[in-house]
Amino acid sequence: MPWWKSVKGVADALKTNLEKGIHGDHADLLKRKSAFGSNTYPQKKGKSLWIFLGEACQDLTLIMLMIAAVVSIGLGMKTDGIKKGWYDGASIAFAVIVGVVVTAINDYRQDLQFNFLIEKKRNIHLEVIRDGRRPKVSIFDVVVGDVVPLKIGDQIPADGILIPGCSLDIDESSMTGESKIVHKNSREPFLMSGCKVVDGSGTMLVSSVGVNTKWGLLMASTSEDTGEETPLQVYLNGVATFIGSVGLALAAAVLVVLSVRFFTGHTKNLDGRVQFREGNTSAADAINGATKILAVSVATAVVAVPEGLPLAVTLILSFLVKKLLAENALVRRLSACETMGSMTTICTDKTGTLTSNSMTVMEVYVAGQKIDPPDSKSLLSPMLSSLVIEGIARNTTASVFIPEGEGDPVISGSPTEKAIVEWGFKLGMDFDAVRSESSVISVFLFNSEKKKGGVALQLPDSQVHIHWKGAAEIILASCVGYCDANGNLVQMDKDKELLFKNVIEDMAANSLRCIALAYKTYDMDKLPVDEQELAQWPLPEDDLVLLALIGLKNPCHPGVGDAVRTCQNAGIKVRMVTGDNPQTAKAIALECGILSSEEDAVEPNVIEGRVFREYSDSEREDIAEKISVMGRSSPNDKLLLVQALIRRGHVVAVTGDGTNDAPALHEADIGLSMGSQGTQVTKEASDIVLLDDNFSSIPKVVLWGRSIYVNIQKFKQFQLTIIVASVIINAVGAASGGVQLNTVQLLWVNLVMDTLGAWALVTEPPTDNLMRMPPVGRREPLITNILWRNLLFQVAYQVTVLLVLNFRGKSLLGLEHEIPQHANKVKNTLIFNAFVLCQIFNEVNSRKPDELNIFKGILKSHLFIGINAVTLLLQVIIIEFGGKFTSTVRLNWKMWLISVAIAFMSWPLAFIGKFIPVPKSPLHKFFTRRFHRGRRAHG
């Protein structure tokens, strides 16, 4: 049985019309899903909260604290009785449990967020043909019997059969593991889901979906890794390890000093009694005292190890993914979020990115004269009109749905194709009738290298017409004549050629995209007879006859000019790289602000791709710096430009929508693909997908990208202040026999620092002034000299005030006449309370490390205010009602006022400190970011 009859038989069995597709109403879709299944596959369940709780409990320091808590409870109940003996141990256990739960919840939320991101990446939208229309549906909604149009760069959504009259080149490496390209035609018509179309176009009949496909079975047995670590996370893990090592060393020193003091009889209770007397102290009391010392040392280590630093990056990345999605940007690779802050230049497409996706025919030249208005068919002879309409209807990738009864035709396809087909209807074209009058012999799809596409047609009278359509100057160069008003062939002389060139230049100068239609007749006897030879037959492209010059208007997206200016003010140079005529590109560049004036529109600011590619590598590097507009560029020209800019030290972003843009997108530091017009191959080569295909979304992505470093720096200043201050206070206290923040207090400080502080600071919304700053350098230190100054200034203040309270607190607070045990508790409670309040006030200081006004925009940061309000409320509860567990006492209003005053003084001191010259930190080199370009370092 012939192949086409076999396909027709399958289509009939599936109740599918090969031209109009399935009916596609709700009942039809439900019936097909019920019979054949849906195009989904079972996905492995994500980790439950219990698993994250188990993982959080595996932290070595927390295990040591839990052991210390159990020992403390046992010994405490033995020595102090059941009623009171469990307080200290239970306090430690409760603090550890809270830390574990909070850590597990953070990790669980991050896992949910990244699973959501993966689901969005998998949810590809594609065209299907249903009831003659071409709606876009999710890949999950494709059903058996669907007719799916395929073009270069598309992913095959399900298993199926190629419909007759089509040929495709398929990359099946995702299924077979072999990189060989497979040609699909009548001999090899079967298509596998998950593969990519690398050449050709056509339609397929879906025969199986979901787990009934090989791809579905493969995906059901695998899961996508959500544990991606970005370069910043890798770097910060190293920083955290370094700081943690220092902190652990100090914690070990605290352990040694406290142990020596305890076992030599220098440690006393609050009532003045020595805790350990050799020969007089029971073994249980000695073990209890040693356990408390171990717990304090371990808690010091918990505070000293900045495990919240990588957590902060995780929080901000998950927060950022959600915010960027609201700005129409889908993040595919997290590393790109970091790199965006360092971007110095953007190489952007014109059509669909700077300009809108809607085009209109504004000017038409036919028979050597302008047709005004463009749809005035009375000025065209029947012969010429017939040829123009034949070229429009047959040499197109657009499809047309004619509604029953009244209604305008619904045209689907690229903006250029839609505009030209719409113009054809205004000329009186009967789309279906014209297409039925001839059969396609061979097709040459539009090629971004040649800038044109063609089709060979066999007419009923055995004539062969070859129609070409493409960039006007390229088609004109192949023309030897043109049709006059009567449809007669007129030889192209120099004057007429010059006239047509001037028309093209005038259209380009008016920012019109100029497309030419041309054709030629061909001898039927010269056609290849064998099907294989016909498939490889090069479509003749010389000795053409010019039919029409069409000028299409593609207006800039609203707000593109403002977006370009925003990028320029942020130190980011915008470069337009387009396949259009340089004159058209120049006009659009002037309109949207890439070029400031006509004086700038000269070489090398404006250059053609063929000129650029002829330079040597070193010459290209020099020229690349100056280029603002590159016209008539091929995808390879774009790649050469990107490579030259990277060698010059730029951090380059590239936008693209065609499959041929994939190499440039992959080579760039940040690849930005188009969500609507971009092919699936392009999207997979990119880092971020612009869902609205609009350049105006890019500054928003940059803004959020820059906020990563700013917010991490804020949190780092805040966290290091607490680490250094708490370790110094405990170390000095241990050495002097004075105060140490006890285990529960230190664990509460750790919760404030690593979790609540991270939430408050890393989720701060970006401010507009970030886009008035230069890009973040690739090797910019994460902790700048300004941050070191602020940090050391705050540490010096906190340590000085709290140690003064420790050694002179009783006299300063008027507690000399109080019972010594109570006076010590009041003093130590005040020190703990003031220390925590200092961190809350320090969070506000950390919001604006390099600005004098630390309160600027604080009322807009609702999450920041809310978290700090909750922290303050919890602190009040701990002091007023948690004394049994934290070894604190209730404070009267005077003590609260003193605590607040101590914390409040950090604000004016921070203000004064910002006038102090910034010395270079000795750790400046270590905290310099030592990772290279995001995706390259990440692999």
Side-chain angles (χ1 to χ4, degrees), residues 797-871:
Y797 169 69
Q798 291 181 22
V799 169
T800 300
V801 172
L802 297 181
L803 288 180
V804 167
L805 282 176
N806 177 50
F807 295 113
R808 295 288 182 267
K810 289 183 181 180
S811 58
L812 292 174
L813 300 173
L815 300 173
E816 299 101 323
H817 305 297
E818 298 282 342
I819 299 172
Q821 186 174 0
H822 176 71
N824 276 330
K825 274 201 168 185
V826 171
K827 180 195 71 173
N828 291 346
T829 301
L830 177 65
I831 291 173
F832 167 60
N833 195 43
F835 183 67
V836 173
L837 292 183
C838 277
Q839 309 323 318
I840 296 174
F841 279 65
N842 185 41
E843 257 187 285
V844 180
N845 283 332
S846 301
R847 284 187 66 250
K848 304 288 181 183
D850 54 351
E851 294 185 30
L852 295 176
N853 184 6
I854 58 176
F855 302 104
K856 184 178 179 181
I858 195 170
L859 295 178
K860 296 179 182 178
S861 300
H862 301 133
L863 187 61
F864 181 88
I865 294 174
I867 289 173
N868 279 283
V870 169
T871 306

Side-chain angles (χ1 to χ4, degrees), residues 215 311 388 443 449 460 465 654 697 755 781:
W215 174 259
L311 168 66
V388 170
V443 176
E449 290 285 346
H465 284 178
V654 171
S697 298
T755 304

Side-chain angles (χ1 to χ4, degrees), residues 509-801:
N510 292 322
S511 69
L512 298 181
R513 185 177 187 182
C514 193
I515 302 295
L517 302 181
Y519 94 112
K520 71 176 294 182
T521 59
Y522 196 75
D523 191 346
M524 185 78 174
D525 296 335
K526 295 181 180 179
L527 288 176
V529 178
D530 182 77
E531 183 180 340
Q532 192 69 25
E533 291 180 4
L534 187 62
Q536 299 175 355
W537 177 54
L539 211 60
E541 53 186 296
D542 53 359
D543 299 333
L544 303 181
V545 177
L546 184 66
L547 294 176
L549 295 174
I550 307 169
L552 300 103
K553 180 68 173 178
N554 192 4
C556 287
H557 276 297
V560 161
D562 292 336
V564 170
R565 281 190 293 275
T566 300
C567 289
Q568 291 170 340
N569 293 335
I572 302 169
K573 184 176 177 64
V574 181
R575 309 168 197 268
M576 180 197 296
V577 185
T578 177
D580 269 356
N581 185 301
Q583 294 298 319
T584 307
K586 182 180 77 172
I588 294 294
L590 287 167
E591 185 179 341
C592 63
I594 293 176
L595 292 173
S596 57
S597 65
E598 285 280 357
E599 288 73 24
D600 290 337
V602 294
E603 196 171 315
N605 286 351
V606 178
I607 195 171
E608 284 195 51
R610 61 177 179 79
V611 176
F612 180 71
R613 77 178 75 110
E614 289 173 359
Y615 288 112
S616 65
D617 287 347
S618 59
E619 290 172 329
R620 275 199 293 266
E621 287 183 32
D622 296 332
I623 295 294
E625 285 281 358
K626 303 171 184 176
I627 292 174
S628 296
V629 176
M630 183 186 290
R632 283 289 172 250
S633 65
S634 67
N636 190 56
D637 296 331
K638 182 187 284 190
L639 177 61
L640 290 174
L641 176 62
V642 170
Q643 290 171 337
L645 290 169
I646 289 173
R647 287 196 299 268
R648 294 285 291 191
H650 286 281
V651 179
V652 184
V654 171
T655 70
D657 54 11
T659 302
N660 290 330
D661 290 326
L665 289 168
H666 182 76
E667 183 70 17
D669 297 281
I670 310 109
L672 300 154
S673 63
M674 302 298 110
S676 298
Q677 296 298 316
T679 65
Q680 190 58 29
V681 170
T682 308
K683 292 174 186 176
E684 292 191 2
S686 66
D687 304 293
I688 296 174
V689 180
L690 300 180
L691 300 177
D692 58 354
D693 291 12
N694 195 337
F695 185 87
S696 298
S697 298
I698 295 178
K700 299 171 186 175
V701 175
V702 176
L703 177 64
W704 282 100
R706 290 187 174 188
S707 73
I708 286 183
Y709 288 114
V710 172
N711 287 352
I712 291 296
Q713 285 177 327
K714 294 174 185 177
F715 176 66
K716 198 64 222 163
Q717 176 182 314
F718 168 72
Q719 188 187 48
L720 282 177
T721 300
I722 299 177
I723 290 174
V724 177
S726 61
V727 169
I728 290 176
I729 290 169
N730 257 29
V732 172
S736 62
V739 68
Q740 302 96 36
L741 298 171
N742 66 35
T743 307
V744 178
Q745 292 169 356
L746 284 171
L747 290 173
W748 167 235
V749 170
N750 185 63
L751 184 65
V752 172
M753 175 182 71
D754 280 342
T755 304
L756 299 179
W759 275 346
L761 288 171
V762 303
T763 56
E764 273 264 283
T767 55
D768 292 337
N769 71 313
L770 287 177
M771 294 302 286
R772 293 189 286 272
M773 298 164 59
V776 179
R778 277 184 179 152
R779 299 186 67 83
E780 190 78 15
L782 179 66
I783 304 179
T784 64
N785 297 335
I786 290 174
L787 263 61
W788 279 116
R789 177 198 62 192
N790 298 344
L791 184 156
L792 295 175
F793 205 83
Q794 285 297 312
V795 167
Y797 169 69
Q798 291 181 22
V799 169
T800 300
V801 172

